Amino acid sequence: MGSLVRRYYLYRASLSSGFYVPVSVVYMESRGLGLPEIGLVQGTFLFSMVVWELPTGYLGDRLGRRTALALGSVVTVAVMAGFALADSTLGFAAVYALWAVAWTFKTGTADAWLYELLASGGDEDEFSRITGRADSTLRLVSGGAALSAGLLYTLDPALPFLANAALAAIGLPVLFTLPRTHGADGRGPEDPDDGVPSSDEDPSPDRDPSPIGVREAAGVLREQLSRPSIRWIVAYAALFNLVFSVTRVFEQPAMRSVGVPVAGLGVLYAGFKLVSAVASSVTGAVHDRLGTRGVLFLLVPVVGVTYGAFALLPVLVVPALFVRRGLQRITRPVRTEYVNDRVEDVGRATVLSGVSMALTLVSGTGNVLGGRIAEAVGPVRFLSTVGVVVSLAGGILWIGTRPIRDAPADTAAS
């Protein structure tokens, strides 16, 4: 099992996007795309994720988890090579649409494979420890890759993408040394000792114990979203998800506008990884201290003050980006736990998927519409304005609707 787990760590490391993320937007700018076009192609990625979520999940169930992961790695290699070749808005939009396919193939599948493998030997209690170490390995590799991204870009703008293609390719031979799991691959395991009970569902607590039909799923989603305890937290989360998403898209032009060199972007992104890791490690303690209501209310003052500050002093956009990552890393799991606690087991995956799709669609729309505004007023001023306006709207929503409610069960009445 020890050798198997090490290979799993190596595979997870191959999922890093650390080489390309720190220079992805400045690279598109160097290829002649303006901020409206960049917002459009980034929105294409998010919209494509919504479109492909169900088809790739179906294919993953039919083909098996390991095969789905392999397809995700193959498509990722093609995407990274496509970045190096693309030189138009249409070309980058096609690359991002394909990137969404790779992303949806891999989302949650690696963890599901690991859980099933551990459960086959009665070692499922090891899941949190192993996934935690796998995530740490991924962050470590991503941080190291980010440090070199700026230097590679200065040597040749295509090099970070080719390096990420090579990293993704490493995952393919590693994958085929890992055993299949029984139910998801449609046949018995390669090694009888690696067998698990037949299951085509993600075993994480966020998923349904059994699938439901499309009509039933629509009914469950409509019923759950009519409840104030779900409806208003989704609206509240969508506001701040919009801020976080447009910030991620336009942060590189914003940093460049305040004097950060391309070579320095990789260093900052490595720092972002460190802040995210630290924030993840203290999320439980912060939640225990402030409670769900206190943690989620933090979004209003922290976003308002942080984004308002760099309206007055633009260079403060750099520390604001660190704050954004820490804040998002702490609040996201607290929000997910809140929703989980307020939906029943049957339909849980449907509700969580519906919430995720809603947030993704809002973010994608913000990216597409925001690009033209950012081009007109400048990325720093645009991000500051969005942050302050959303903070004010979030405060009004918090007071007017009480999005965090104590009772797990409530009626559809507001």
Side-chain angles (χ1 to χ4, degrees), residues 54 61 102 126-127 140 174 184 261 286 307 320 340 349 400-401 405:
L54 292 179
D61 285 341
E126 292 291 297
F127 178 78
L140 182 63
V174 175
V286 173
Y307 280 70
N340 261 307
T401 68
R405 305 194 178 207

Side-chain angles (χ1 to χ4, degrees), residues 22-23 146-154 256 260-268:
V23 295
L147 285 173
S148 63
L151 177 60
L152 291 174
Y153 184 89
T154 58
R256 296 285 291 128
V260 177
V262 172
L265 292 176
V267 177
L268 286 174

Side-chain angles (χ1 to χ4, degrees), residues 280-405:
S280 293
S281 70
V282 303
T283 296
V286 173
H287 193 190
D288 290 342
R289 177 84 177 193
L290 300 179
T292 299
R293 182 176 282 103
V295 170
L296 296 181
F297 178 71
L298 278 177
L299 289 163
V300 173
V302 174
V303 169
V305 172
T306 303
Y307 280 70
F310 64 79
L312 303 175
L313 190 59
V315 73
L316 292 179
V317 70
V318 176
L321 298 176
F322 285 91
V323 172
R324 182 198 79 81
R325 279 166 171 81
L327 186 63
Q328 186 175 23
R329 186 67 65 176
I330 289 171
T331 56
R332 180 186 291 168
V334 174
R335 182 194 73 217
T336 301
E337 180 179 319
Y338 171 85
V339 175
N340 261 307
D341 288 344
R342 282 155 180 78
V343 296
E344 298 176 356
D345 288 342
V346 176
R348 174 174 281 120
T350 300
V351 174
L352 293 177
S353 294
V355 171
S356 177
M357 286 182 174
L359 299 183
T360 301
L361 289 172
V362 169
S363 297
T365 303
N367 292 344
V368 172
L369 298 179
R372 195 163 298 280
I373 302 173
E375 179 91 343
V377 304
V380 172
R381 184 177 177 187
F382 168 69
L383 293 179
S384 178
T385 302
V386 171
V388 171
V389 169
V390 163
S391 179
L392 292 172
I396 293 171
L397 189 68
W398 185 275
I399 294 170
T401 68
R402 294 186 301 113
I404 306 301
R405 305 194 178 207

Side-chain angles (χ1 to χ4, degrees), residues 25 28 33 35-51 89 92-94 96-97 99-100 245-246 248-250 359-371:
V25 174
M28 286 188 283
L33 274 66
L35 296 186
E37 291 75 28
I38 290 171
L40 174 64
V41 298
Q42 295 275 11
T44 298
F45 171 75
L46 295 174
F47 294 142
S48 298
M49 278 186 65
V50 173
V51 171
T89 301
F92 281 107
Y96 268 100
W99 182 223
S245 181
V246 297
R248 186 64 181 264
V249 172
F250 301 111
L359 299 183
T360 301
L361 289 172
V362 169
S363 297
T365 303
N367 292 344
V368 172
L369 298 179

